[in-house]
mmCIF file with all atom_site columns, all heavy atoms in Angstrom:
data_model
loop_
_atom_site.group_PDB
_atom_site.id
_atom_site.type_symbol
_atom_site.label_atom_id
_atom_site.label_alt_id
_atom_site.label_comp_id
_atom_site.label_asym_id
_atom_site.label_entity_id
_atom_site.label_seq_id
_atom_site.pdbx_PDB_ins_code
_atom_site.Cartn_x
_atom_site.Cartn_y
_atom_site.Cartn_z
_atom_site.occupancy
_atom_site.B_iso_or_equiv
_atom_site.pdbx_formal_charge
_atom_site.auth_seq_id
_atom_site.auth_comp_id
_atom_site.auth_asym_id
_atom_site.auth_atom_id
_atom_site.pdbx_PDB_model_num
ATOM   1  N N   . ASN A 1 274 ? 22.122 92.052 117.115 1.00 95.00 ? 274 ASN A N   1
ATOM   2  C CA  . ASN A 1 274 ? 22.508 93.242 117.900 1.00 95.00 ? 274 ASN A CA  1
ATOM   3  C C   . ASN A 1 274 ? 21.537 94.410 117.448 1.00 95.00 ? 274 ASN A C   1
ATOM   4  O O   . ASN A 1 274 ? 21.753 94.944 116.403 1.00 95.00 ? 274 ASN A O   1
ATOM   5  C CB  . ASN A 1 274 ? 23.963 93.562 117.528 1.00 95.00 ? 274 ASN A CB  1
ATOM   6  C CG  . ASN A 1 274 ? 24.469 94.468 118.586 1.00 95.00 ? 274 ASN A CG  1
ATOM   7  O OD1 . ASN A 1 274 ? 23.770 95.149 119.368 1.00 95.00 ? 274 ASN A OD1 1
ATOM   8  N ND2 . ASN A 1 274 ? 25.765 94.389 118.792 1.00 95.00 ? 274 ASN A ND2 1
ATOM   9  N N   . LYS A 1 295 ? 24.559 83.330 119.852 1.00 88.00 ? 295 LYS A N   1
ATOM   10 C CA  . LYS A 1 295 ? 25.731 83.539 120.730 1.00 88.00 ? 295 LYS A CA  1
ATOM   11 C C   . LYS A 1 295 ? 25.801 84.878 121.333 1.00 88.00 ? 295 LYS A C   1
ATOM   12 O O   . LYS A 1 295 ? 26.505 85.170 122.250 1.00 88.00 ? 295 LYS A O   1
ATOM   13 C CB  . LYS A 1 295 ? 26.958 83.224 119.974 1.00 88.00 ? 295 LYS A CB  1
ATOM   14 C CG  . LYS A 1 295 ? 27.268 81.904 119.392 1.00 88.00 ? 295 LYS A CG  1
ATOM   15 C CD  . LYS A 1 295 ? 28.561 81.738 118.901 1.00 88.00 ? 295 LYS A CD  1
ATOM   16 C CE  . LYS A 1 295 ? 28.842 80.341 118.359 1.00 88.00 ? 295 LYS A CE  1
ATOM   17 N NZ  . LYS A 1 295 ? 29.073 80.325 116.863 1.00 88.00 ? 295 LYS A NZ  1
ATOM   18 N N   . ASN A 1 296 ? 25.011 85.767 120.741 1.00 88.00 ? 296 ASN A N   1
ATOM   19 C CA  . ASN A 1 296 ? 25.249 87.231 120.949 1.00 88.00 ? 296 ASN A CA  1
ATOM   20 C C   . ASN A 1 296 ? 23.860 87.924 120.852 1.00 88.00 ? 296 ASN A C   1
ATOM   21 O O   . ASN A 1 296 ? 23.379 87.866 119.784 1.00 88.00 ? 296 ASN A O   1
ATOM   22 C CB  . ASN A 1 296 ? 26.204 87.686 120.004 1.00 88.00 ? 296 ASN A CB  1
ATOM   23 C CG  . ASN A 1 296 ? 27.255 88.574 120.669 1.00 88.00 ? 296 ASN A CG  1
ATOM   24 O OD1 . ASN A 1 296 ? 27.070 89.069 121.758 1.00 88.00 ? 296 ASN A OD1 1
ATOM   25 N ND2 . ASN A 1 296 ? 28.339 88.892 119.956 1.00 88.00 ? 296 ASN A ND2 1
ATOM   26 N N   . THR A 1 317 ? 27.517 86.748 125.331 1.00 74.00 ? 317 THR A N   1
ATOM   27 C CA  . THR A 1 317 ? 27.190 88.163 125.474 1.00 74.00 ? 317 THR A CA  1
ATOM   28 C C   . THR A 1 317 ? 25.678 88.304 125.550 1.00 74.00 ? 317 THR A C   1
ATOM   29 O O   . THR A 1 317 ? 24.931 87.781 124.717 1.00 74.00 ? 317 THR A O   1
ATOM   30 C CB  . THR A 1 317 ? 27.732 89.002 124.319 1.00 74.00 ? 317 THR A CB  1
ATOM   31 O OG1 . THR A 1 317 ? 28.963 88.449 124.011 1.00 74.00 ? 317 THR A OG1 1
ATOM   32 C CG2 . THR A 1 317 ? 27.821 90.463 124.693 1.00 74.00 ? 317 THR A CG2 1
HETATM 33 C C1  . NAG B 2 .   ? 29.242 89.616 120.513 1.00 52.41 ? 4   NAG B C1  1
HETATM 34 O O1  . NAG B 2 .   ? 29.171 90.912 120.008 1.00 52.41 ? 4   NAG B O1  1
HETATM 35 C C2  . NAG B 2 .   ? 30.223 91.734 120.394 1.00 52.41 ? 4   NAG B C2  1
HETATM 36 C C3  . NAG B 2 .   ? 30.029 93.162 119.844 1.00 52.41 ? 4   NAG B C3  1
HETATM 37 O O2  . NAG B 2 .   ? 28.626 93.506 120.050 1.00 52.41 ? 4   NAG B O2  1
HETATM 38 C C4  . NAG B 2 .   ? 31.554 91.195 119.919 1.00 52.41 ? 4   NAG B C4  1
HETATM 39 O O3  . NAG B 2 .   ? 32.606 91.917 120.329 1.00 52.41 ? 4   NAG B O3  1
HETATM 40 C C5  . NAG B 2 .   ? 31.660 89.806 120.394 1.00 52.41 ? 4   NAG B C5  1
HETATM 41 O O4  . NAG B 2 .   ? 32.850 89.226 119.776 1.00 52.41 ? 4   NAG B O4  1
HETATM 42 C C6  . NAG B 2 .   ? 30.453 88.918 120.070 1.00 52.41 ? 4   NAG B C6  1
HETATM 43 N N1  . NAG B 2 .   ? 30.608 87.687 120.642 1.00 52.41 ? 4   NAG B N1  1
HETATM 44 C C7  . NAG B 2 .   ? 30.392 86.597 119.848 1.00 52.41 ? 4   NAG B C7  1
HETATM 45 C C8  . NAG B 2 .   ? 30.585 85.240 120.547 1.00 52.41 ? 4   NAG B C8  1
HETATM 46 O O5  . NAG B 2 .   ? 30.021 86.572 118.735 1.00 52.41 ? 4   NAG B O5  1
#
Side-chain angles (χ1 to χ4, degrees):
N274 200 338
K295 296 192 180 112
N296 222 343
T317 320

